[in-house]
């Protein structure tokens, strides 16, 4: 198994761009997925396979990958985007989640 | 619309076995097109994948929990279950069940989640 490393927190002002990273050597070969979790709610998939946006997710959410780092980008951040964000990936033994990043909208 | 609903005791005594069930609606476990997972989250902490089961009963468990976890599936009732034995306070968490989508490239991610059930381990 391996670990996915995320920054504990990211802060941005409304309308700015937030970038949250997730890193691991395994990400050079494995896809990553991103989940948004608001207080008291179950996680919601916002990006799958590094950069695909599921149906119903706003276009301001995007994802990218470069080597061992994947990035979740939220363009034009809104107050409602304040939440915890988790990356997730998989290997032959199962699934791993990053430690989570708390996005604060100032 | 796919929905998952966790049920079970909210309080378990230390050293006993935690037992939860996830009932699925809007999809059929027996279709064999998805895996079904359990994930937990201690209060104020991150997500931890516990394990998954397939419609035929095959399982994969998190190596860190493998010795204490058992999953089973009941396709006749469209539900799957989790047991964690010899629980301690460290097993206190919000437990989620989730449907694991597997696309044609065999990439897995969690598209549908239950609302979660809080399980507290306490005397």
């Amino acid at each position: 198994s391996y670990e996915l490393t995320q920054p504990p927190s990211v802060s941005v002002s409304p309308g700015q761009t937030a970038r949250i990273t997730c890193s691991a050597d395994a990400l050079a070969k494995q896809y990553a997925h991103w989940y948004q979790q608001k207080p008291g709610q179950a996680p919601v998939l916002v990006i799958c396979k590094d950069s695909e946006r599921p149906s119903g997710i706003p276009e301001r959410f995007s994802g990218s990958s470069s080597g061992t780092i994947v990035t979740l980008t939220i363009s034009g951040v809104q107050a409602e985007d304040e939440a915890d964000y988790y990356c997730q990936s998989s290997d032959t033994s199962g699934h791993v989640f990053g430690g989570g990043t708390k996005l604060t909208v100032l | 619309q796919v929905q998952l609903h966790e049920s079970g005791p909210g309080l378990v005594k230390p050293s006993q076995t935690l037992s939860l069930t996830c009932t699925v609606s809007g999809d059929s476990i027996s279709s064999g097109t998805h895996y079904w997972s359990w994930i937990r989250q201690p209060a104020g902490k991150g997500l931890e994948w516990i394990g998954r089961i397939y419609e035929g009963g095959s399982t994969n468990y998190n190596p860190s929990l493998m010795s204490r976890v058992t999953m089973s599936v009941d396709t006749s009732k469209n539900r799957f279950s989790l047991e964690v034995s010899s629980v301690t306070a460290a097993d206190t968490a919000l437990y989620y069940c989730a449907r694991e989508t597997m696309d044609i490239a065999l990439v897995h991610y969690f598209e549908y989640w239950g609302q979660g059930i809080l399980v507290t381990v306490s005397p």
Side-chain angles (χ1 to χ4, degrees), chain A residues 12-79:
Chain A
V12 295
S13 298
Q16 291 190 329
T17 296
R19 294 181 178 85
I20 300 172
T21 59
C22 175
S23 63
D25 289 345
L27 294 181
K29 296 182 179 180
Q30 302 290 343
Y31 283 112
H33 322 289
W34 290 96
Y35 302 86
Q36 175 194 66
Q37 186 180 34
K38 296 182 178 180
Q41 297 183 19
V44 172
L45 179 70
V46 294
I47 293 290
C48 60
K49 296 173 66 177
D50 292 348
S51 60
E52 295 184 11
R53 194 174 53 249
S55 173
I57 301 301
E59 291 184 6
R60 63 181 182 274
F61 288 87
S62 63
S64 61
S65 175
S66 179
T68 60
I69 299 174
V70 293
T71 303
L72 171 68
T73 300
I74 310 172
S75 304
V77 166
Q78 301 181 6

Side-chain angles (χ1 to χ4, degrees), chain B residues 7-8 10 22 24 30 36 48 52 65 71 73 77-78 83 89 92-95 108-109 113 118 121-122:
Chain B
S7 60
C22 180
V24 179
S30 60
W36 304 89
E48 179 181 35
R52 68 184 180 189
L65 296 168
M71 293 184 183
V73 62
K77 296 182 178 179
N78 214 34
E83 289 189 344
T92 294
L94 191 57
Y95 285 75
H108 298 239
Y109 45 88
W113 298 65
L118 177 62
V121 178
S122 180

Side-chain angles (χ1 to χ4, degrees), chain B residues 8 10 20 22 37 39 55 75-76 79 92 94:
Chain B
L20 298 174
C22 180
S37 273
I39 296 155
E55 57 91 18
T75 55
S76 67
R79 67 189 191 190
T92 294
L94 191 57

Side-chain angles (χ1 to χ4, degrees), chain B residues 33-52:
Chain B
T33 53
H34 302 285
Y35 285 84
W36 304 89
S37 273
W38 288 96
I39 296 155
R40 70 182 184 179
Q41 184 174 36
K45 296 188 178 180
L47 301 166
E48 179 181 35
W49 178 73
I50 301 171
R52 68 184 180 189

Side-chain angles (χ1 to χ4, degrees), chain B residues 50-94:
Chain B
I50 301 171
R52 68 184 180 189
I53 191 164
Y54 195 56
E55 57 91 18
S58 62
T59 55
N60 298 101
Y61 299 141
N62 185 324
S64 68
L65 296 168
M66 183 181 299
S67 63
R68 298 193 294 126
V69 169
T70 303
M71 293 184 183
S72 59
V73 62
D74 184 344
T75 55
S76 67
K77 296 182 178 179
N78 214 34
R79 67 189 191 190
F80 60 105
S81 298
L82 168 72
E83 289 189 344
V84 181
S85 63
S86 305
V87 297
T88 69
D91 294 307
T92 294
L94 191 57

